[in-house]
């Protein structure tokens, strides 16, 4: 934190270990690098930005949304087995995740659910 105090240009952002969205972003940037930027020479920042914008336009022309292939009940059951101990660091997080999943299933079945 002292380093951040001496370098006000940088901001610290805490990213929890369970940030699956971050893995998706990392995958996107890896794909961008492999398909558009690797082995290329850009003589200016403008040329680099143009290459990235072309990649984004092409990717958005034919989007492929991510679709879960595993049953959510199996994911939650596996997480429960790993985090059985109430004192485990992820116990609270998993408890909330399970409650949300159960509430969603009830809503899908037309049962009234109290919101958090």
């Amino acid at each position: 934190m002292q380093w951040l105090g001496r370098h006000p240009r940088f901001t610290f952002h805490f990213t929890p270990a369970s940030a699956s969205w971050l893995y998706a972003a990392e995958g996107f940037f890896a794909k961008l690098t492999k398909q558009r930027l690797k082995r290329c020479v850009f003589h200016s920042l403008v040329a680099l930005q143009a290459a990235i914008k072309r990649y984004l336009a092409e990717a958005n022309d034919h989007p492929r949304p991510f679709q879960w292939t595993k049953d959510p009940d199996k994911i939650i059951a596996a997480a429960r087995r790993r985090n059985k101990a109430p004192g485990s660091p992820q116990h609270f997080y998993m408890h909330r995740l399970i409650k949300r999943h159960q509430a969603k299933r009830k809503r899908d079945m037309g049962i009234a659910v109290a919101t958090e």
Side-chain angles (χ1 to χ4, degrees), residues 9-27:
R9 180 175 156 216
F10 297 93
T11 304
F12 176 77
H13 295 278
F14 174 73
T15 304
S18 60
S20 60
W21 61 267
L22 182 61
Y23 300 136
E26 287 176 356

Side-chain angles (χ1 to χ4, degrees), residues 24-37:
E26 287 176 356
F28 171 79
F29 285 110
K31 193 173 179 181
L32 165 68
T33 301
K34 183 179 179 183
Q35 293 180 356
R36 183 55 52 96
L37 304 178

Side-chain angles (χ1 to χ4, degrees), residues 59-105:
N60 287 331
D61 284 343
H62 305 288
R64 295 181 61 204
F66 178 79
Q67 293 183 357
W68 287 103
T69 57
K70 192 166 186 177
D71 180 28
D73 292 325
K74 290 181 180 178
I75 295 170
I76 290 174
R80 279 184 175 160
R81 286 192 301 273
R82 282 192 306 271
N83 299 305
K84 276 187 177 180
S88 68
Q90 293 185 353
H91 175 75
F92 178 72
Y93 171 76
M94 289 307 304
H95 177 72
R96 287 182 59 201
L97 181 68
I98 290 165
K99 290 291 185 189
R100 285 183 190 155
H101 174 69
Q102 290 170 342
K104 182 185 180 316
R105 297 207 53 179

